[in-house]
Amino acid sequence: MKVTDFTFDLPEELIAQDPLRDRSSSRLLVLDRYSGEREHKHFRDIKEYLKPGDCLVINDTKVIPARLIGEKEGTGAKIEVLLLKRKENDVWETLVKPGKKARPGARISFGQGELVGEVMEVVEEGNRLIRFEYEGIFEEVLDRLGQMPLPPYITHQLEDKNRYQTVYAKHEGSAAAPTAGLHFTKELLEEIKAMGVEIAHVTLHVGLGTFRPVKVENVLEHHMHSEFYQIEKEEADKINRTKEQGGRVIAVGTTSTRTLEAAAEEDGHLTAKSGWTEIFIYPGYQFKVIDALITNFHLPESTLLMLVSALAGREHVLAAYEEAVKERYRFFSFGDAMFIK
């Protein structure tokens, strides 16, 4: 299976640069994963495809304003730091640009010294471990000084930080938003609940590796980045009950999908669990938990496109993407959505 099997032509102007004013007014391409049949709707029409007894699984991670712009002490050189993973207390694994100016011992000042980071060591993939010094509460300092770490294909400045956050974001820790959830409003979720659809929460802190291109020719040689996930007992019980009673488990996004499939036992049963997952889902994978998926349109040759193809079949997915391009759908993080049923 080659990476080039998952490519498609995308005109650059179809990459959405800004979120829509009304979250639920984005378009929705509905794809039947068995027949390949397609319908064109708006996201708020998702209710037409949900039934009492179904369970919608949402990822309630919260994006932290993880992008910091600072100056190297002594030279004043501009340095950009992206927080990736908290290792312990005030030590973070980070991505630093330009790396050559951030050797061990270098000190970087942010917000005129309100926050100072010292590079401790260089770790795998050239990432830096940085220890931060500050007064007060780190999250509050970060909220003042940090910017949202938007994906590299978004070049516009985000006016409202909350638009790169789901309305149900709760647990801080992501370097990227679980973007399929961006289409939901609180009102739409309440309407869905009132229909008799269960809503279960899981948490997976999305890493920037989600945007990392697949650099090997053979898909099977690709190594996934690891991400932290957590499922509480009450939420696992909701999902198990849905399965037992014949309802469908519908994942909102590839992050919810990876969480469920990584945490489940072979028979699809879930228990309260937390840990790190490097699960890589590509065609040939047998899904244990999910029956349907709400997702955005993904990058060519990406692991996310491979996951979607594992659920609906590569030919069905690429035909749907070709039609989405023809119909001028908006792509990627701030773009339109797909429901694979």
Side-chain angles (χ1 to χ4, degrees):
M1 200 184 316
K2 292 183 179 173
V3 173
T4 49
D5 293 338
F6 299 90
T7 197
F8 63 93
D9 291 323
L10 180 69
E12 202 171 313
E13 68 269 16
L14 295 186
I15 299 172
Q17 292 294 327
D18 302 288
L20 296 179
R21 192 170 294 252
D22 171 20
R23 290 173 183 259
S24 64
S25 65
S26 44
R27 292 164 80 188
L28 179 70
L29 191 153
V30 181
L31 173 65
D32 185 309
R33 65 187 176 113
Y34 300 105
S35 68
E37 282 181 26
R38 301 180 289 272
E39 298 173 80
H40 300 284
K41 297 281 187 173
H42 285 93
F43 192 79
R44 65 180 77 88
D45 301 324
I46 192 71
K47 291 187 297 183
E48 295 174 21
Y49 300 92
L50 303 176
K51 302 193 286 272
D54 285 343
C55 180
L56 208 57
V57 183
I58 58 179
N59 179 9
D60 61 10
T61 187
K62 192 170 190 178
V63 186
I64 58 172
R67 185 168 173 254
L68 290 159
I69 310 293
E71 291 180 355
K72 185 175 178 181
E73 289 188 354
T75 67
K78 186 180 165 186
I79 294 181
E80 180 180 322
V81 173
L82 209 48
L83 305 180
L84 299 177
K85 274 184 210 161
R86 190 176 220 148
K87 303 301 270 187
E88 53 180 276
N89 297 330
D90 296 321
V91 177
W92 285 76
E93 184 175 335
T94 67
L95 185 65
V96 179
K97 286 196 263 185
K100 62 179 183 292
K101 291 189 174 151
R103 296 194 171 95
R107 289 173 62 83
I108 307 161
S109 172
F110 309 93
Q112 294 175 319
E114 188 179 349
L115 179 68
V116 176
E118 182 172 338
V119 180
M120 295 168 62
E121 63 177 291
V122 180
V123 291
E124 60 179 316
E125 296 180 354
N127 294 347
R128 266 67 174 164
L129 288 188
I130 294 182
R131 176 180 279 119
F132 288 98
E133 302 160 17
Y134 54 92
E135 284 185 13
I137 297 166
F138 182 76
E139 284 74 15
E140 290 178 1
V141 174
L142 190 61
D143 205 44
R144 281 195 295 277
L145 302 181
Q147 300 170 16
M148 281 300 186
L150 294 178
Y153 46 76
I154 292 177
T155 56
H156 290 192
Q157 194 73 33
L158 185 63
E159 287 176 22
D160 175 7
K161 274 184 187 176
N162 287 326
R163 286 305 275 109
Y164 193 56
Q165 209 78 271
T166 62
V167 294
Y168 45 77
K170 187 176 179 187
H171 301 290
E172 293 190 331
S174 272
T179 55
L182 295 178
H183 304 282
F184 286 97
T185 61
K186 285 182 175 167
E187 295 75 21
L188 181 56
L189 282 168
E190 286 304 320
E191 289 167 21
I192 288 168
K193 247 190 247 181
M195 290 169 57
V197 174
E198 190 83 78
I199 296 183
H201 293 239
V202 298
T203 306
L204 179 132
H205 293 319
V206 190
L208 281 180
T210 195
F211 304 118
R212 192 172 292 148
V214 179
K215 290 179 177 169
V216 290
E217 194 178 325
N218 181 350
V219 168
L220 309 188
E221 290 170 9
H222 178 68
H223 177 67
M224 286 288 278
H225 56 291
S226 66
E227 295 169 313
F228 180 79
Y229 73 89
Q230 185 158 14
I231 302 177
E232 303 285 355
K233 182 183 185 302
E234 190 184 337
E235 308 306 312
D237 290 346
K238 286 180 190 174
I239 297 161
N240 291 334
R241 198 163 52 239
T242 298
K243 297 293 269 185
E244 286 158 16
Q245 294 171 355
R248 294 175 303 167
V249 174
I250 300 161
V252 176
T254 56
T255 61
S256 299
T257 303
R258 292 206 302 278
T259 305
L260 295 174
E261 295 296 322
E265 292 159 22
E266 277 312 305
D267 62 358
H269 187 78
L270 289 162
T271 54
K273 208 171 186 183
S274 67
W276 293 84
T277 176
E278 295 178 356
I279 190 169
F280 180 19
I281 297 174
Y282 51 84
Y285 179 85
Q286 297 299 309
F287 287 87
K288 303 190 288 268
V289 185
I290 77 158
D291 302 295
L293 171 66
I294 295 169
T295 188
N296 277 20
F297 289 91
H298 305 295
L299 279 77
E301 302 186 0
S302 64
T303 58
L304 305 181
L305 185 56
M306 292 168 196
L307 183 154
V308 171
S309 298
L311 183 66
R314 187 181 70 92
E315 290 79 8
H316 288 338
V317 168
L318 290 180
Y321 271 53
E322 198 177 312
E323 188 166 308
V325 168
K326 200 169 79 187
E327 296 290 333
R328 312 290 291 172
Y329 272 68
R330 301 163 77 248
F331 276 69
F332 306 161
S333 298
F334 287 141
D336 295 317
M338 216 177 166
F339 178 49
I340 299 174
K341 61 175 185 160

